[in-house]
Amino acid sequence: MSRSDAPQVALHMSYATGAAGRLLDDPATLAVIGFGRDAPLPASERALRVGLEPLGAAPWEVWRGKAPVRSGREGALAWSTDGEHLFFAVELDEAAHGGIAGATAAAYRQLAAFVGDSATPHVLRLWNYFDAINLGDGDDERYRLFCDGRARGLATADWTHYPAATAIGRRDGVRTLQVYGLASRRPGRPLENPRQVSAWRYPRQYGPTAPVFARGMLEAGGELLISGTAAVIGHASAHPGDLDAQTVETLANIDALVDGSGSAAHGPLRLKAYVRNPADAGRIAAAITPRLEDPADLVLLAGDICRSELLVEVDGVRHAA
Ligand code: 3EB
């Protein structure tokens, strides 16, 4: 069962164990996300399996709002909402859209149109997962093609600012793009990191189309949504090849984001670490766990980071107090 604290705010993420069906029985559950090919998830608009293999414990990522949550599907998009927040997930076959760039453009067009027409038009947070993110040379690298598609898909969206985001490579050989996210009736406050160049201002060397995301989002109810964070200082990758130094730098980046958020909240951090080399999981966990109230607030997943020299990336939430 969930070992989480009782939700104090309208949007709440926790890690939970036990039967996913029980979590979905809760009428306040917006979404249950399971990691790994074999995650035993019932078919539901509110359930999503992401093919990133867990390295160790594999709890469910549970997003809760206020009961009652309604849900449905529109084309390739599954949604659920409590009227205040919207969870949505789009899964598109790359080949059906001419490759990763086309699939990304189509996914973003669909989600932007759906969210824009909803009562919850402010996109707070997006997660992007697809196979083989570092495959391809130079500007043909699949991450760069994804960035092209994302910018194209958003060209007609009237978003006032970019959402927080994560983009990570799966290694399951399944060429299906998965994008899931959260939107809100009320706008959040996007955050940048004083130690980092804003991603949309990255120079040309990282690709023809800059990634468009905010470093974090302070949601109106006080939840701090932390984007995928790696050892990027300015725009450069720091400590190439040095796992421990990258982990320390990543945590320093998260500290700077949290410190600069202006949030009075002092609730727990809940994190996911994406690990390029599975053998590094123990060292990464040892560095991160002392920052947490509970070691179970860290989930380790095998995943590839968008620059091949980066060995670890961390995202998550800091709860309102
Ligand atoms: C970085 O700082 C690391 O393309 O959506 C982190 C979070 C990263 C989101 C994205 C990429 C994205 O640039 C990579």
Side-chain angles (χ1 to χ4, degrees):
M1 279 311 296
S2 167
R3 39 150 221 92
S4 74
D5 39 313
Q8 302 286 309
V9 291
L11 181 67
H12 184 268
M13 189 280 274
S14 59
Y15 295 131
T17 55
R22 295 279 298 278
L23 300 165
L24 291 164
D25 286 344
D26 179 346
T29 296
L30 286 164
V32 176
I33 295 141
F35 296 98
R37 215 183 296 239
D38 300 325
L41 266 179
S44 163
E45 287 130 4
R46 294 178 294 142
L48 181 69
R49 186 180 294 107
V50 172
L52 293 168
E53 293 306 316
L55 302 167
W60 307 108
E61 177 181 319
V62 185
W63 288 91
R64 284 192 184 84
K66 277 186 301 216
V69 167
R70 301 176 295 116
S71 64
R73 269 183 214 280
E74 188 177 290
L77 186 146
W79 59 268
S80 62
T81 187
D82 63 0
E84 185 67 27
H85 292 101
L86 172 76
F87 172 83
F88 54 90
V90 186
E91 297 185 89
L92 289 183
D93 175 49
E94 293 181 21
H97 294 85
I100 183 64
T104 306
Y108 273 76
R109 255 184 244 116
Q110 282 177 39
L111 73 87
F114 184 85
V115 175
D117 287 342
S118 76
T120 50
H122 304 285
V123 179
L124 300 176
R125 180 65 169 101
L126 290 166
W127 291 262
N128 305 273
Y129 298 118
F130 54 99
D131 189 41
I133 196 168
N134 300 127
L135 186 68
D137 292 329
D139 289 345
D140 291 328
E141 186 184 38
R142 280 164 55 80
Y143 174 64
R144 298 187 181 193
L145 301 176
F146 160 85
C147 287
D148 291 344
R150 173 166 57 182
R152 260 197 290 133
L154 289 179
T156 55
D158 60 350
W159 295 1
T160 49
H161 44 66
Y162 297 123
T166 296
I168 288 289
R170 300 189 317 256
R171 304 193 193 128
D172 57 3
V174 178
R175 294 293 168 94
T176 301
L177 168 71
Q178 300 180 291
V179 183
Y180 73 91
L182 291 161
S184 177
R185 188 176 62 77
R186 292 178 289 174
R189 189 155 65 75
L191 303 170
E192 289 305 301
N193 194 316
R195 308 178 86 225
Q196 300 182 302
V197 171
S198 293
W200 65 86
R201 298 209 173 102
Y202 280 175
R204 174 66 180 88
Q205 71 195 85
Y206 302 103
T209 312
V212 288
F213 64 95
R215 298 295 180 180
M217 184 70 69
L218 188 60
E219 177 265 331
E223 297 289 286
L224 175 57
L225 307 169
I226 302 166
S227 290
T229 305
V232 171
I233 299 295
H235 57 72
S237 304
H239 320 296
D242 184 338
L243 174 77
D244 293 329
Q246 285 192 20
T247 307
V248 167
E249 206 71 79
T250 297
L251 290 169
N253 279 338
I254 290 178
D255 287 345
L257 183 83
V258 170
D259 290 349
S261 68
S263 155
H266 292 289
L269 272 175
R270 295 213 168 100
L271 302 175
K272 294 204 292 278
Y274 306 93
V275 179
R276 183 180 295 281
N277 301 312
D280 292 343
R283 267 159 73 201
I284 292 169
I288 297 177
T289 301
R291 309 298 205 88
L292 306 176
E293 287 186 4
D294 181 336
D297 286 332
L298 174 65
V299 172
L300 295 145
L301 301 169
D304 291 329
I305 295 93
C306 62
R307 298 183 189 176
S308 23
E309 66 276 15
L310 294 174
L311 302 173
V312 59
E313 183 170 310
V314 177
D315 71 10
V317 303
R318 194 180 69 160
H319 291 290

